[in-house]
Amino acid sequence: MSRRTAVVTGASAGIGEATARALAAAGYEVVVGARRTERLQAIAEEIGARALELDVRDEASVERFATAAGAAEVLVNNAGLSRGLDPVARTLSEHWIEMYETNVLGAMRVARAFIPRLVESGNGHLVNVGSTAGFEVYPGGAGYTASKHGLRALTRTLRLELLGEPVRVTEVSPGLVETEFSQVRFDGDAERARAVYAGMRPLTAADVAECVVWVLARPAHVNIDEIVVRPRDQATSTAVYRRP
Ligand code: NAP
């Protein structure tokens, strides 16, 4: 029997990397995409995946990526980022544009390119990596939460539009996960990034990858619409238990 092919975007780090590793270990043929191709290539070699350059903000890059990837049964739309934590009164338009371009338009472009292949496979599955920011808000987070609310709207619309097709649609929405996410948000400020997880135990990227693998492993007639997964130390975006 031929192996199922899974495409993972944003797999050069964090949740995408962990998901690519978990899917390869589960027997999938894996195709990974991201901008930092050296890192991506090293990960791909380790797990026997195929690495392809991808910038989800760039239509032509997404088209090249999809063409080179070929047929696919699974798409994990994970590439994403946050920028800044300033209140709206002081926020930078560039941050909002980058988040919207990546988290909403990027996810749409990749989904659009792969939907015909997922349908064609006869047993497709599209997993969007959302966030608790897709249905909650917090001070300073408007740009990121607006983008993840947008992604959630995309996921829910696809669930309706693909009804009747052999394609499942899922959103996995994590709370705090310790990855490079906060370093990117704070422009490389490692100390500020560390403070996000101070005194609490965050999720690991592997914890989230396990959710993705579990969702995919359900029988074909079972659609897990969404998974919300948080650390035990976090009840909402703003209610975080920190040990002194
Ligand atoms: P991360 O460690 O910073 O990884 C982000 C990944 O996205 C990297 O591989 C990065 O690769 C890729 N990426 C960013 N912009 C891209 C672009 N324009 N084109 C292609 N790839 C791009 O962060 P992470 O925590 O794993 O984040 C993964 C997803 O989980 C994101 O959608 C994020 O919003 C979501 N999430 C994270 C958390 C958290 O607390 N960490 C919580 C909820 C949801 P390159 O830079 O090499 O392109």
Side-chain angles (χ1 to χ4, degrees), residues 10 12 15 35-36 54-56 78 130 144 148 175 177 179-180:
S12 61
I15 295 167
R35 294 165 301 177
R36 288 170 294 175
L54 170 67
D55 183 347
V56 299
N78 162 78
Y144 181 63
K148 287 297 188 180
V177 191
T179 60
E180 292 170 20

Side-chain angles (χ1 to χ4, degrees), residues 57-76:
R57 297 170 305 173
D58 176 353
E59 301 252 358
S61 171
V62 173
E63 285 312 312
R64 275 196 305 275
F65 176 78
T67 303
E73 283 172 278
V74 171
L75 169 64
V76 183

